[in-house]
């Protein structure tokens, strides 16, 4: 198949889930909701992390994401529209439901731009050519080009058959005000892939019938040439079709000479021809379908995650794992600009993560080892830190607790993908005081307190029903609001750092790595900063 010959250099569809968290030097509590200046002195909100219990209380947005994933992996669960149905839905939207053409075009173009941004980063796929036809599909392409400009791409537009209507002339004016270049058909290179990283096919939509006329027949041929396999190229230009690959029959395909796009962005609902799409990236956009239309046409569509304007559908793309890589772009992390104290540097970076809205910035990989040196790792949540160390809570009879009893040393790893940063902390570990554990335990949601009692962490249980039954029993027992006692086998640990390493991703794998290690000078302990090779 043609798709097996294409190299996918980058794919990532993120379901962004923002979460606001802040920091406490002593204790983590969810009972304190008023922000306390500065940001790093506010409280972190606890989350149920017991693996056996936490899924009892799925957040709606998490469940929504799971449903979207199930739909993505089962394309037969999605509705497909015929040509007549698509036309009828447009008439209803712009008739009794009160939508205007420019509203729908704006939403469609934004959906296309966000779909492109999900997969093709502007740092690697910057030059975008939008080839726009004379109809609504071309208008969608003009809107998408404007949004892509604001997303950091460098768009170009080929618009050979301009429409004189005010809506379209206005879209052209908007692009010209952004200094987006317009290129004639005659000035396009023979091989589009040499000058452009992405080509947006916005020539024909679902109303297209018959054979393409000049100059669009020639433009479709140019898009086909991009699909020619060339082993000398390390990266291919991507072809993105809006709603219908131009030249395809709405209820069929494009035949052996038709466009074979890398990405298809279906609008409102996929058309029947989308069943023949074989590219790696199929998205649904146009988040404007009201319930009345969904019910009338019995539409089965995946939920959009969060506030996203697009959602991936179809089978997950096949990708060569060895080809997956990121070329990080980050500010330089220099010795003369860092804090002398690693605790202050960590606080500074943590505040950056919170300000960036990354999900669970306090998530960390905790690695322990038994007395024989056999290691194990798991994700836990940081619940506080100060100059005395980093604190988390767990069951004292779990595997990690038993390993810490035998070997009271551990390492922590924080990974903040959105900022291209990670921090490693190594040191000795000891239990926090009973008073500190008790204070934190009773700051947690009551459901989490009951969950800590129910879960005999790391032990074998006969089934999930055991957890449900015990949880319901305790929930009823403490339904009067009485104090839930902290289990004796539950509490906190504190890692006292003996080494910090701060990592900042950079281009071409020339990452920044700064290590802090303690040393004594004139009877005082100071931190020595050394740069490590990446």
């Amino acid at each position: 198949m043609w798709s097996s010959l294409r190299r996918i250099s980058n794919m990532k569809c993120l379901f962004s889930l923002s979460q606001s968290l802040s920091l406490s030097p002593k204790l983590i509590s969810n009972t304190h909701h008023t922000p306390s200046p500065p940001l790093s002195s506010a409280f972190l909100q606890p989350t149920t992390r017991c693996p056996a219990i936490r899924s009892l209380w799925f957040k709606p947005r998490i469940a929504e994401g799971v449903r979207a994933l199930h739909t993505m992996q089962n394309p037969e669960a999605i509705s497909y529209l015929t040509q007549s149905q698509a036309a009828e839905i447009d008439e209803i939207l712009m008739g009794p439901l009160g939508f205007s053409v420019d509203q729908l075009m704006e939403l469609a173009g934004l959906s296309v731009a966000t779909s492109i941004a999900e997969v093709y980063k502007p740092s690697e796929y910057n030059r975008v050519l939008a080839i726009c036809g004379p109809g609504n599909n071309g208008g969608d392409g003009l809107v998408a080009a404007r949004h892509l400009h604001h997303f950091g791409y460098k768009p170009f537009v080929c618009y050979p058959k301009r429409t004189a209507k005010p809506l379209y002339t206005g879209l052209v004016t908007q692009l010209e005000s952004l200094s987006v270049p317009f290129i004639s058909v005659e000035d396009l290179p023979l091989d589009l892939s040499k000058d452009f990283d992405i080509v947006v096919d916005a020539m024909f939509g679902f109303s297209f019938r018959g054979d393409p006329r000049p100059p669009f027949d020639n433009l479709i041929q140019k898009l086909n040439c991009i699909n020619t396999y060339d082993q000398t190229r390390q990266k291919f230009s991507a072809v993105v079709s809006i709603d219908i690959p131009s030249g395809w029959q709405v209820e069929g395909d494009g035949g052996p000479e038709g466009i074979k796009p890398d990405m298809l962005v279906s609008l409102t609902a996929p058309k029947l021809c989308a069943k023949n799409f074989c590219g790696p990236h199929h998205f649904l956009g146009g988040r404007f379908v009201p319930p009345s239309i969904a019910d009338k046409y019995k539409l089965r569509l995946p939920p959009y995650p969060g506030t996203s304007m697009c959602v991936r559908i179809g089978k997950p793309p096949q990708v060569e794992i060895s080809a997956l890589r990121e070329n990080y772009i980050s500010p330089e992390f220099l010795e003369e600009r860092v804090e002398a104290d690693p605790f202050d540097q960590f606080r500074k970076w943590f505040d950056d993560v919170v300000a960036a809205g990354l999900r669970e910035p306090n998530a960390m990989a905790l690695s322990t080892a038994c007395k024989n040196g056999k290691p194990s790792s798991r994700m836990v949540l940081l619940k506080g830190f100060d100059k005395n160390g980093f604190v988390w809570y767990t069951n004292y009879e779990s595997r990690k607790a038993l390993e810490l009893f035998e070997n009271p040393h551990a390492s922590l790893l924080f990974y903040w993908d959105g900022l291209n940063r990670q921090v490693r902390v190594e040191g000795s570990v000891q239990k926090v005081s009973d008073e500190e554990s008790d204070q934190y335990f009773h700051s947690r949601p009551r459901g989490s307190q009951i969950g800590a009692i129910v879960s005999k962490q790391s032990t074998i249980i006969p089934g999930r029903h055991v957890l449900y039954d015990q949880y319901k029993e305790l929930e009823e027992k403490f339904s009067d609001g009485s104090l839930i006692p902290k289990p004796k086998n539950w509490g906190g640990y504190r890692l006292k750092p003996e080494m910090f390493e701060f990592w900042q991703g950079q281009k071409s794998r020339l990452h920044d790595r700064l290590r802090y290690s303690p040393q004594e000078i004139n009877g005082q302990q100071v931190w020595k900063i050394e740069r490590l090779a990446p």
Side-chain angles (χ1 to χ4, degrees):
M1 290 175 59
W2 70 271
S3 58
S4 66
L5 302 178
R6 304 299 300 268
R7 177 177 298 174
I8 305 166
S9 61
N10 186 17
M11 57 146 287
K12 189 177 284 186
C13 181
L14 305 177
F15 297 110
S16 299
L17 304 175
S18 297
Q19 180 171 330
S20 177
L21 292 173
S22 38
L23 179 69
S24 167
K26 288 289 185 184
L27 171 68
I28 297 160
S29 169
N30 77 320
T31 59
H32 187 106
H33 294 290
T34 304
S36 302
L39 179 63
S40 59
S41 64
F43 287 104
L44 279 174
Q45 299 185 17
T47 305
T48 303
R49 299 305 293 175
C50 170
I53 295 296
R54 64 181 175 213
S55 60
L56 295 176
W57 303 279
F58 260 115
K59 296 178 182 178
R61 62 189 178 185
I62 299 295
E64 186 177 86
V66 171
R67 289 196 301 273
L69 286 173
H70 289 166
T71 303
M72 177 186 80
Q73 295 170 1
N74 182 18
E76 295 304 319
I78 300 173
S79 297
Y80 293 84
L81 298 177
T82 64
Q83 189 170 31
S84 60
Q85 287 174 329
E88 289 172 8
I89 289 175
D90 263 16
E91 291 177 2
I92 296 173
L93 286 170
M94 291 183 285
L97 293 183
F99 283 90
S100 61
V101 177
D102 54 332
Q103 280 182 307
L104 296 177
M105 197 172 286
E106 185 66 30
L107 291 170
L110 178 59
S111 299
V112 172
T114 54
S115 297
I116 290 173
E118 287 283 0
V119 176
Y120 304 109
K121 292 186 176 182
S123 58
E124 298 179 17
Y125 291 81
N126 186 253
R127 304 165 301 168
V128 181
L129 173 65
I131 303 178
C132 302
N136 290 347
N137 197 266
D140 297 342
L142 295 173
V143 173
R146 169 162 44 82
H147 285 294
L148 288 170
H149 169 85
H150 292 300
F151 290 173
Y153 297 84
K154 187 176 181 180
F156 300 79
V157 176
C158 178
Y159 190 22
K161 297 289 185 180
R162 299 194 181 193
T163 302
K165 294 179 180 180
L167 170 59
Y168 295 88
T169 57
L171 294 175
V172 171
T173 300
Q174 293 164 20
L175 289 168
E176 290 175 339
S177 71
L178 297 173
S179 299
V180 172
F182 280 75
I183 304 175
S184 67
V185 174
E186 295 74 23
D187 291 334
L188 288 175
L190 181 64
D191 183 358
L192 297 178
S193 62
K194 289 184 178 180
D195 290 2
F196 305 105
D197 304 308
I198 300 173
V199 180
V200 179
D201 161 30
M203 289 180 275
F204 303 121
F206 63 77
S207 60
F208 171 79
R209 296 177 186 272
D211 296 324
R213 298 178 181 178
F216 297 107
D217 54 351
N218 177 259
L219 290 170
I220 289 175
Q221 185 58 40
K222 283 182 177 288
L223 293 186
N224 280 332
C225 290
I226 293 178
N227 297 133
T228 302
Y229 182 60
D230 183 350
Q231 290 184 338
T232 64
R233 290 182 187 165
Q234 295 184 350
K235 184 185 74 175
F236 291 91
S237 297
V239 177
V240 178
S241 288
I242 299 179
D243 206 24
I244 304 288
S246 292
W248 282 35
Q249 301 302 313
V250 179
E251 299 177 13
D253 58 24
E257 302 300 322
I259 296 175
K260 297 177 178 62
D262 302 273
M263 174 184 287
L264 174 63
V265 183
S266 295
L267 299 173
T268 307
K271 313 309 180 284
L272 276 175
C273 64
K275 290 187 175 183
N276 296 310
F277 172 68
C278 296
H281 307 293
H282 188 187
F283 281 82
L284 176 64
R287 194 174 184 173
F288 46 69
V289 179
S292 58
I293 287 182
D295 293 341
K296 179 177 180 179
Y297 292 91
K298 296 180 173 57
L299 297 182
R300 301 183 306 278
L301 302 174
Y304 287 83
T307 58
S308 178
M309 290 300 297
C310 63
V311 58
R312 184 185 285 276
I313 57 178
K315 294 181 180 180
Q318 298 299 310
V319 63
E320 184 181 352
I321 294 178
S322 63
L324 290 174
R325 57 178 54 86
E326 294 283 342
N327 193 25
Y328 301 105
I329 299 177
S330 312
E332 289 183 324
F333 187 52
L334 303 177
E335 291 87 333
E336 58 268 22
R337 297 179 186 175
V338 302
E339 301 293 332
D341 189 312
F343 290 96
D344 295 335
Q345 182 62 43
F346 181 87
R347 184 183 298 273
K348 183 177 180 180
W349 272 20
F350 193 92
D351 288 348
D352 288 345
V353 178
V354 173
L358 301 190
R359 183 175 178 236
E360 291 195 321
N362 57 327
M364 60 185 186
L366 166 65
S367 297
T368 57
C370 63
K371 61 182 179 181
N372 295 326
K374 186 177 181 180
S376 63
S377 298
R378 76 287 294 159
M379 299 300 297
V380 299
L381 289 183
L382 175 70
K383 288 302 176 181
F385 82 88
D386 57 14
K387 295 300 176 72
N388 293 318
F390 292 74
V391 175
W392 69 94
Y393 292 85
T394 188
N395 187 302
Y396 284 152
E397 295 176 356
S398 63
R399 175 178 176 178
K400 55 183 169 293
L402 297 177
E403 290 181 352
L404 287 172
F405 177 78
E406 294 182 350
N407 178 9
H409 296 84
S411 70
L412 308 175
L413 173 63
F414 297 86
Y415 176 60
W416 298 312
D417 174 64
L419 297 179
N420 301 334
R421 290 174 177 175
Q422 57 180 308
V423 181
R424 288 197 306 120
V425 187
E426 298 175 1
S428 59
V429 179
Q430 61 183 14
K431 292 181 179 179
V432 304
S433 67
D434 288 340
E435 293 76 16
E436 193 171 344
S437 292
D438 194 71
Q439 185 180 4
Y440 171 68
F441 181 83
H442 290 109
S443 75
R444 309 174 85 205
R446 290 179 67 83
S448 298
Q449 295 179 43
I450 293 174
I453 299 173
V454 168
S455 176
K456 308 300 186 288
Q457 198 173 99
S458 300
T459 61
I460 297 174
I461 58 175
R464 187 169 183 78
H465 65 279
V466 174
L467 300 174
Y468 279 113
D469 294 344
Q470 293 180 4
Y471 181 87
K472 290 179 181 178
E473 181 181 336
L474 290 175
E475 188 178 41
E476 176 64 27
K477 178 180 179 179
F478 296 108
S479 61
D480 58 355
S482 59
L483 185 71
I484 301 174
K486 180 187 76 66
K488 292 182 179 180
N489 63 349
W490 190 97
Y493 285 100
R494 177 177 284 106
L495 182 144
K496 183 177 177 60
E498 298 167 358
M499 189 282 295
F500 286 81
E501 183 188 321
F502 293 85
W503 181 96
Q504 177 79 67
Q506 297 293 357
K507 289 183 179 180
S508 301
R509 296 297 183 265
L510 300 179
H511 311 308
D512 291 313
R513 295 176 62 191
L514 296 184
R515 180 178 64 191
Y516 288 73
S517 53
Q519 64 178 8
E520 190 172 301
I521 299 180
N522 298 327
Q524 292 187 336
Q525 179 176 291
V526 297
W527 291 92
K528 182 180 180 181
I529 302 175
E530 298 171 301
R531 178 172 290 272
L532 304 179

